[in-house]
Amino acid sequence: MPILKQESHLPVLVDVTHSTGRKDILAPCAKAALAAGADGIMVEVHPDPATALSDAAQRLDIDEFNRFYNEVKKSGLF
């Protein structure tokens, strides 16, 4: 992350959904990415992940996203 930010003028976003593939560690990984200097976080959200056409196991539903967001926001990293 630091090298990418040093070498580019573009914002750096981290997709914690695809990089982890696991819902249970999205928030800690998002906080780590922000602490390392990420400009933003991407996460997959679907109203009914079980019916998603792809990546159902790693998608958050709306309630899970709200908990994820609140946990990351509580960290004060953004």
Side-chain angles (χ1 to χ4, degrees), residues 6-76:
Q6 184 178 14
E7 298 294 324
S8 174
H9 69 285
L10 299 172
V12 176
L13 303 178
V14 174
D15 182 346
V16 294
T17 310
H18 280 103
S19 63
T20 65
R22 296 174 47 179
K23 287 198 240 185
D24 61 326
I25 59 172
L26 292 181
C29 289
K31 290 187 258 184
L34 292 168
D39 295 300
I41 299 297
M42 295 186 295
V43 62
E44 289 186 52
V45 180
H46 191 283
D48 184 11
T51 65
L53 297 178
S54 67
D55 303 330
Q58 65 196 33
R59 289 181 188 261
L60 301 177
D61 65 24
I62 303 302
D63 290 334
E64 290 170 324
F65 174 75
N66 286 330
R67 287 190 296 275
F68 164 84
Y69 176 78
N70 288 327
E71 183 176 341
V72 175
K73 185 177 179 184
K74 181 174 58 176
S75 72

